[in-house]
Amino acid sequence: MTKITLNQLPRTYKNNGQHAEQVFRYTMCGKVCKADNKQGTDYQDIQIKSSRATVCKGTDPAKHIAQDQAKRYAYITSDFSNAYIMSKAEYLEFTSQFSTITTESA
């Protein structure tokens, strides 16, 4: 797991997940990019997650992560100051410790 400090960016999204994605992209490439969910990953081979994000489709995180196009995951802290970049195995361990399955995601 690698911790990076994120560059601050004025907020343009009300949605925390979209803001987290935009701040992460800005930190990594220096460009203000629109957050989108049209690609297989959010930035290069990284899926960006924040508090209250959907961990997986269905109710089996291990199965979803194994089949996911992402090779790495970035968890953005709630104050948007830091990101923790994890491998698939680290992310699965992280989600098993800090997430709960409440509903099946579509």
Side-chain angles (χ1 to χ4, degrees):
M1 183 179 319
T2 304
K3 178 183 174 183
I4 63 170
T5 301
L6 298 173
N7 297 330
Q8 295 303 299
L9 185 65
R11 193 168 185 131
T12 58
Y13 290 105
K14 289 182 182 180
N15 179 286
N16 284 339
Q18 289 176 312
H19 182 64
E21 183 178 332
Q22 192 174 50
V23 169
F24 184 83
R25 286 182 178 195
Y26 176 68
T27 300
M28 299 303 283
C29 70
K31 296 179 183 176
V32 177
C33 304
K34 183 178 178 182
D36 69 32
N37 292 326
K38 302 207 188 284
Q39 301 175 20
T41 58
D42 294 320
Y43 178 78
Q44 295 180 351
D45 66 341
I46 300 172
Q47 193 70 14
I48 301 165
K49 298 293 184 182
S50 59
S51 178
R52 301 180 55 99
T54 299
V55 172
C56 66
K57 292 182 180 177
T59 58
D60 187 349
K63 180 180 176 184
H64 175 79
I65 291 168
Q67 296 173 347
D68 197 357
Q69 290 180 4
K71 295 188 183 349
R72 298 180 292 165
Y73 295 82
Y75 177 78
I76 312 302
T77 57
S78 61
D79 63 358
F80 308 102
S81 64
N82 295 293
Y84 293 88
I85 302 174
M86 300 170 244
S87 67
K88 283 187 173 198
E90 289 170 325
Y91 183 65
L92 182 57
E93 178 66 23
F94 177 81
T95 59
S96 70
Q97 287 185 27
F98 298 106
S99 68
T100 57
I101 297 172
T102 55
T103 58
E104 183 172 350
S105 178

